Amino acid sequence: MPIEQFIERGFPFHQLLGVKVDKIDEESVRLHIPFKDDLIGHAESAMIHGGVISTLADICGGFAVWTRCERDDFVATITLSVDYLRPAAARDLYAEATVRLLGNKVGNAHVVIWSEGDPDKHVAEGRGVYNIRRRKK
């Protein structure tokens, strides 16, 4: 299965959120979640829930690390830190992650998140540390 399909369809939770791949290579991973009303945090505001933002940061950061591994390696989150910079408007939500450090057992990724149409105005930044379990050869 191609990597894009694996990310979008290989995880039921990704399907629930509607995660889509925009770009994936060894330099960075860019994903987005198309807006739907179910992503709103409070019925009286038109802002995306913070949990959606942190989830997208985690998924994006984890796959950025995974692109530097072997296809059968397993990557799991150790820690995730998200700085919420401003509210995320009720639009598609984008994230781009780059790997900052990659060791044999641990990878570190930096993620920026923005709302559709405003890629230079970040709504959040995240840092994830991921455990890498190498496949057995």
Side-chain angles (χ1 to χ4, degrees):
M1 170 184 305
I3 185 69
E4 294 83 2
Q5 287 181 9
F6 178 64
I7 294 171
E8 293 177 3
R9 298 186 205 145
F11 300 82
F13 189 57
H14 296 188
Q15 290 180 325
L16 176 71
L17 291 172
V19 173
K20 301 293 180 201
V21 176
D22 291 331
K23 172 188 163 193
I24 187 161
D25 58 36
E26 286 193 14
E27 296 300 315
S28 64
V29 171
R30 187 172 54 243
L31 306 175
H32 81 275
I33 296 176
F35 176 75
K36 56 186 172 184
D37 288 335
D38 294 337
L39 302 179
I40 295 293
H42 187 279
E44 295 181 11
S45 75
M47 302 299 164
I48 293 178
H49 190 283
V52 177
I53 295 168
S54 63
T55 296
L56 183 58
D58 189 26
I59 293 169
C60 198
F63 276 103
V65 169
W66 188 74
T67 63
R68 301 284 198 87
C69 300
E70 297 295 325
R71 177 115 186 188
D72 293 336
D73 291 346
F74 181 77
V75 173
T77 308
I78 296 172
T79 61
L80 178 70
S81 173
V82 177
D83 296 329
Y84 298 93
L85 306 174
R86 60 184 48 88
R91 293 182 280 188
D92 293 358
L93 189 65
Y94 288 81
E96 186 160 5
T98 54
V99 175
R100 293 294 172 95
L101 179 69
L102 184 71
N104 190 42
K105 294 184 179 186
V106 176
N108 178 294
H110 178 259
V111 187
V112 293
I113 300 102
W114 67 93
S115 297
E116 177 183 29
D118 216 349
D120 295 325
K121 191 174 183 181
H122 298 157
V123 299
E125 291 187 2
R127 287 159 306 284
V129 179
Y130 301 89
N131 176 265
I132 302 166
R133 192 169 27 175
R134 303 288 181 179
R135 67 183 170 145
K136 301 196 191 256
K137 294 182 182 187

